[in-house]
Amino acid sequence: MAAYLQWRRFVFFDKELVKEPLGNDGAAPGAAPASGPSASKFLCLPPGITVCDSGRGSLVFGDMEGQIWFLPRSLQLTGFQAYKLRVTHLYQLKQHNILASVGEDEEGINPLVKIWNLEKRDGGNPLCTRIFPAIPGAEPTVVSCLTVHENLNFMAIGFTDGSVTLNKGDITRDRHSKTQILHKGNYPVTGLAFRQAGKTTHLFVVTTENVQSYIVSGKDYPRVELDTHGCGLHCSALSDPSQDLQFIVAGDECVYLYQPDERGPCFAFEGHKLIAHWFRGYLVIVSRDRKVSPKSEFTSRDSQSSDKQILNIYDLCNKFIAYSTVFEDVVDVLAEWGSLYVLTRDGRMLFKKNLFEMAINLAKSQHLDSDGLAQIFMQYGDHLYSKGNHDGAVQQYIRTIGKLEPSYVIRKFLDAQRIHNLTAYLQTLHRQSLANADHTTLLLNCYTKLKDSSKLEEFIKTKSESEVHFDVETAIKVLRQAGYYSHALYLAENHAHHEWYLKIQLEDIKNYQEALRYIGKLPFEQAESNMKRYGKILMHHIPEQTTELLKGLCTDYRPSLEGRGDREAPGCRANSEEFIPIFANNPRELKAFLEHMSEVQPDSPQGIYDTLLELRLQNWAHEEEPQVKEKLHAEAISLLKSGRFCDVFDKALVLCQMHDFQDGVLYLYEQGKLFQQIMHYHMQHEQYRQVITVCERHGEQEPSLWEQALSYFARKEEDCKEYVAAVLKHIESKNLMPPLLGTAEDGEGGWVQAADSRARAGALQFYPEGCLVHGLVSSRTPISVVQTLAHNSTATLSVIRDYLVQKLQKQSQQIAQDELRVRRYREETTRIRQEIQELKASPKIFQKTKCSICNSALELPSVHFLCGHSFHQHCFESYSESDADCPTCLPENRKVMDMIRAQEQKRDLHDQFQHQLKCSNDSFSVIADYFGRGVFNKLTLLTDPPTARLTASLEAGLQRDLLIHARRGT
């Protein structure tokens, strides 16, 4: 907290009464007071002034009669009837000629808000674009304050009951605006202010007891409580950017500054605050000496208006008091036309007058800091500018460089008649290295407008980088746009702006040779990027030289001798595939480039070889000279056999098919193991010998080729007996096709006729004679040899007689072997069943004399098993894993039990069964295997009587015993 009593006091303002003009061409406010009788009359405003504001070149007043008055700089007062009763609040926008007012048209508490467009007229008066009641609800209350955002999308109204309404949308139209209650409280609202930070809009709300902020640009309007101290009416203001747009609240104890999310510094200024106003970096405070409670301030200001009031003007940055004086009955403080106006109760206005020379001298003598001096220089420059002394003004503005925002000065001298003053200011700004790109653009435009080539060359032709006080790229842009190509090239080359150098050479001067030479001396990264950008243009105009540069860039690039590169440094190489689009309209150069890359750099990207193949195929397809065509054919085949297309097989195949390159297509088919396509190709061209060759070469990998070959020859009407015989021989040796139509293998390994349609669909049937018949399980019945050859009118039975005879003989032999095996299994089964029955019904005599483990003579106690093995008790206990299992038979029995359990687990594997059946050459063996697992066993239902379940369990146990004994017997 700073004690203002310690602040230095200066007199930077002069107080004068505003006088009426001498005539239509009289002096304006702020001019020197006139002498003589005619100049002694002071300007008085109409009585009953209740509210005032300023902006857009006028002071605006509202009175108790409902009239709104405008006082322009000429001091010619005009007004109109805005309300029937009174005007209570005014807000003049600074960026739009829009005035918002609050007043009353009828008795009672029913304030109306009216929006006036001062640029449009309605019967001689400003056009009222919108009227709506200020009170949002039915409860009557008094409007205490009003504020409007400069973008015309927000308007806030505060009331004495502690509420705040927010109008969101276009405030000049009812249709696009929405009103809602933003804040409710218990204390009267005394001040409102909008603050814009980027895209976020804050609203400060101050009451007699607290300060808070809202974010109104969103949806939920989040609130931040900033302080528990408030202020009275007219005692809050929003600072300018010099104080970071902070919200100022002037309480009786201190003056507080607030950011939207926190409280900032505070200043202990004594006195009961009546008015707070911000003017050009100064804080203007009107206060009363004696203490008054902030709560009484809201309503008792008029009753105590006879007290003396002190106006203090503070410089918060430099911490000094710029002016201090005493008034009586101050109504408000206004700022317009570069002056500060104080409206008193008697209707008179006083204005300040700057004494700059005295202020500067005093500030220097008091060793005021640079910021304070810059503020005085700025105000002095403004004063001289308003007087028309532009040369003097620019000299004062030059003294503010580094402290004052340059745009403030530049806007004043943008007029073409002030270009010399603007040039002087911008030159100084650049010499102090404080210019940005926009300043450089503006200065160069000034040089070009003045056609001052000497100054221009002096500005851009510096000796070293450290002496450059401007943005080089911006300078290049401006010079290029103005047609100063040589100057722009000088800057681009000397400051390594390669892109701009090449743009000017190629697009403006059209010097392609020089541009290519320049690229050749650039470092690798810049050379690569610029060739990608300008390669097409260069290839169009100088194709041979461009191709040579690309070859070097993609193999072993080193900048040319005149460049800055090191010739001893290792070379770099670019990705050659990325430059292929440059050759879009230059096939001859493209072929030379691709062949060079494939020879010099075998590990070139795949796109190089793909494009080279396509280019060779195009040339081969369009060539008509036989010898040249044969050479191109050999080149294409050689490229295909180079092994570079293994990973892009499909792409190479498509290219060969597109250009009808059949030798390449067949080669790729073979490399891709697409034997069906090879067969189809030879069949289309009726190349019988090649069909047989394909089957012989690839039939082991794809047996169906022989079946397709047989079907193909069978449909040929010409005599193909030789080829049919060769195919049948192989089919018979590999058992690839059934000999007869619609047959299936029976249980004996032969072929029988399926007797039921369900068998053909994959069903299993038990016929009365006990023969299991399997219809072919696949979704379609395989074509038999006989059916296939039936389509050939030239094929006779003699063609397949030897094949059928050999097939039937083999099947007969197989049947005999299977029948012998079945008889042997049946005899073995009968023997095992008898042995099991004897074990169940007859006593077992144990006659072994030696232990089955140690082969020593048996001694009591001993252990005997029904399998015939006997053991010493101590041997049995040492080697047995279970008291119920024979140690000798246990390993074999365990294998059998594991097989049984595995079979039971796989009983429901229907999909696996179907798959094995389709893929197996011996379908009956698959069926027999699943039958042995019990897949087709009848299930025992839980509803069966106990005897039936007992019988089933005994039968299952018998089957397990049978399997164990059978395993042991074998």
Side-chain angles (χ1 to χ4, degrees), residues 606-677:
Q606 183 60 42
I608 293 293
Y609 292 93
D610 294 343
T611 309
L612 181 58
L613 175 62
E614 182 177 5
L615 191 62
R616 287 183 177 179
L617 291 176
Q618 287 179 353
N619 294 338
W620 173 84
H622 294 90
E623 183 59 48
E624 297 181 356
E625 182 66 28
Q627 294 181 351
V628 178
K629 193 177 186 71
E630 182 64 27
K631 180 182 178 182
L632 294 174
H633 178 278
E635 291 178 353
I637 289 294
S638 175
L639 184 59
L640 286 173
K641 293 182 178 181
S642 64
R644 297 295 308 184
F645 299 93
C646 298
D647 297 332
V648 289
F649 170 83
D650 294 340
K651 187 173 184 179
L653 182 59
V654 169
L655 289 175
C656 291
Q657 290 174 338
M658 286 174 55
H659 297 88
D660 197 24
F661 191 60
Q662 296 300 333
D663 289 347
V665 171
L666 291 175
Y667 173 77
L668 292 173
Y669 280 161
E670 185 173 356
Q671 294 300 309
K673 301 186 184 303
L674 302 177
F675 309 128
Q676 298 281 356
Q677 283 78 357

Side-chain angles (χ1 to χ4, degrees), residues 751-765:
W751 294 87
V752 297
Q753 184 71 27
D756 191 273
S757 62
R758 288 175 296 177
R760 296 188 183 95
L764 298 174
Q765 299 292 327

Side-chain angles (χ1 to χ4, degrees), residues 693-912:
T693 302
V694 171
C695 293
E696 291 174 347
R697 292 180 60 184
H698 309 297
E700 293 293 333
Q701 302 177 58
E702 194 162 346
S704 62
L705 295 176
W706 291 102
E707 299 178 20
Q708 295 179 26
L710 180 63
S711 177
Y712 170 72
F713 290 125
R715 284 172 170 78
K716 289 296 179 181
E717 295 301 326
E718 54 190 280
D719 189 3
C720 298
K721 293 181 180 180
E722 176 185 356
Y723 305 109
V724 172
V727 174
L728 285 176
K729 180 179 179 181
H730 190 85
I731 289 176
E732 190 273 334
S733 64
K734 298 297 183 180
N735 195 22
L736 298 177
M737 296 177 66
L740 301 176
L741 174 63
T743 60
E745 293 188 21
D746 64 3
E748 303 300 329
W751 294 87
V752 297
Q753 184 71 27
D756 191 273
S757 62
R758 288 175 296 177
R760 296 188 183 95
L764 298 174
Q765 299 292 327
F766 283 98
Y767 286 89
E769 55 272 20
C771 179
L772 175 65
V773 179
H774 164 236
L776 295 174
V777 179
S778 62
S779 60
R780 64 176 183 86
T781 302
I783 306 296
S784 69
V785 173
V786 174
Q787 183 184 8
T788 302
L789 293 177
H791 294 283
N792 192 332
S793 60
T794 62
T796 60
L797 184 60
S798 60
V799 176
I800 61 170
R801 180 182 60 188
D802 294 339
Y803 165 75
L804 291 176
V805 169
Q806 293 177 5
K807 192 67 177 178
L808 292 174
Q809 287 177 350
K810 288 183 179 180
Q811 291 180 358
S812 298
Q813 294 174 1
Q814 184 65 38
I815 291 172
Q817 294 175 1
D818 292 342
E819 287 177 349
L820 180 61
R821 190 178 299 109
V822 168
R823 285 195 298 271
R824 187 171 64 253
Y825 286 159
R826 285 176 178 174
E827 292 173 358
E828 183 67 18
T829 302
T830 302
R831 183 185 64 77
I832 293 174
R833 287 181 181 273
Q834 290 175 358
E835 185 177 346
I836 293 173
Q837 185 63 30
E838 289 177 359
L839 291 175
K840 290 181 178 180
S842 303
K844 177 68 174 179
I845 300 173
F846 301 99
Q847 297 179 345
K848 296 209 60 162
T849 60
K850 291 185 179 182
C851 175
S852 299
I853 292 178
C854 65
N855 287 327
S856 301
L858 282 176
E859 297 176 357
L860 294 178
S862 60
V863 180
H864 304 275
F865 285 89
L866 292 177
C867 61
H869 296 107
S870 300
F871 307 93
H872 293 113
Q873 185 173 359
H874 62 274
C875 291
F876 174 74
E877 291 176 352
S878 300
Y879 290 94
S880 65
E881 298 180 9
S882 171
D883 293 343
D885 294 324
C886 171
T888 304
C889 299
L890 181 60
E892 198 67 26
N893 291 344
R894 183 173 293 165
K895 293 181 181 179
V896 175
M897 296 305 296
D898 290 342
M899 292 173 57
I900 293 174
R901 281 192 293 269
Q903 290 177 357
E904 290 177 351
Q905 292 175 358
K906 296 180 179 178
R907 289 173 60 178
D908 297 328
L909 301 179
H910 176 73
D911 294 338
Q912 184 178 356

